[in-house]
Amino acid sequence: IRETSWFSVMRAGVTGDSARSLAMLREVLRNDLLPASRSHSAAAYIYRDLGRHLALLGDTAGARAMLASLQTNWYIYRYDYHIRGLIHIAAGRFPEAIAELREMRFSSGHLPPLARAYEATGAIDSAIAAYERLLVQPDPDAPLWDAVFLIHVLERLGELYLSRGEHELAAARYSLAAEVLRDADPELRGRAQRARGLAADARRLR
């Protein structure tokens, strides 16, 4: 279940197809029994990850159900600002999302949603800082979160830097996006080519 959950959000992050990714995850949840959530074992973390991933894929009802299951494990429930923050974002409650997500520690997966919430409230400097932190924040799950968010974050940073006239930084972020996508599957090569072209355009504007 946990592997499928991660694969679903990774797929959505790369392809932008949240609907199909959510359908894939729901199919697994229909066919596989979830373990008990009343322990500090890895079982409780399955609920945590499912809550985060369902919220990212737009299923806030499913995310709330996972969060409710975690209430029986107070330690994890108390500190899972991530699920609550994502639910606030889905509901358009961006100040509340910021308040929750800013409490996250020793993680990187909350940073792109936090940056999105900052953007929605007009705090562009804070948004850029949160996006940039994804590139350096230590996190045991960083490779997984990178697969979900990295390309979008690099492209968004390029857009934000361009909008501020910071062409060198824009070029650097677009170039990094192109490098990450260099050996990508054929359906993503157009995205890599676009990133290279935007990097070249930004350099010409320096």
Side-chain angles (χ1 to χ4, degrees):
I1 293 174
R2 198 176 186 193
E3 289 178 359
T4 302
S5 183
W6 274 108
F7 178 78
S8 297
V9 288
M10 290 176 188
R11 183 185 181 281
V14 172
T15 66
D17 186 357
S18 295
R20 188 170 177 184
S21 297
L22 178 58
M24 179 190 310
L25 180 52
R26 282 175 171 167
E27 181 67 20
V28 170
L29 292 175
R30 277 194 295 269
N31 295 326
D32 293 278
L33 292 175
L34 283 166
S37 64
R38 294 183 176 85
S39 72
H40 291 284
S41 70
Y45 291 93
I46 293 175
Y47 284 83
R48 182 200 66 181
D49 287 349
L50 281 169
R52 296 174 180 185
H53 298 162
L54 286 166
L56 283 168
L57 293 171
D59 184 357
T60 55
R64 289 190 190 95
M66 297 302 154
L67 187 60
S69 295
L70 286 174
Q71 286 181 305
T72 58
N73 185 321
W74 178 243
Y75 177 80
I76 296 176
Y77 171 78
R78 179 184 179 190
Y79 292 105
D80 208 330
Y81 306 102
H82 200 165
I83 297 176
R84 292 192 290 272
L86 292 172
I87 291 171
H88 283 311
I89 286 176
R93 298 188 295 265
F94 298 108
E96 292 88 343
I98 291 168
E100 293 280 5
L101 295 171
R102 285 180 63 181
E103 294 297 323
M104 292 287 294
R105 300 289 185 271
F106 315 114
S107 174
S108 61
H110 70 293
L111 291 168
L114 176 60
R116 179 187 166 194
Y118 278 134
E119 283 197 70
T121 60
I124 302 303
D125 288 343
S126 295
I128 289 174
Y131 283 134
E132 288 285 356
R133 275 179 58 200
L134 178 74
L135 308 183
V136 297
Q137 178 82 6
D139 178 357
D141 288 332
L144 298 172
W145 288 121
D146 283 352
V148 177
F149 289 122
L150 183 58
I151 298 303
H152 170 75
V153 164
L154 292 171
E155 291 172 338
R156 187 64 187 137
L157 280 169
E159 293 167 358
L160 290 172
Y161 285 134
L162 271 182
S163 71
R164 294 156 65 101
E166 298 181 73
H167 302 123
E168 186 170 348
L169 288 171
R173 291 297 169 250
Y174 281 130
S175 293
L176 185 54
E179 177 64 21
V180 171
L181 290 167
R182 182 180 57 181
D183 298 320
D185 292 339
E187 59 266 29
L188 296 175
R189 288 175 188 164
R191 198 167 175 181
Q193 185 176 358
R194 176 180 178 274
R196 281 192 296 272
L198 289 168
D201 291 343
R203 290 191 190 95
R204 282 193 290 270
L205 293 170
R206 286 185 298 185

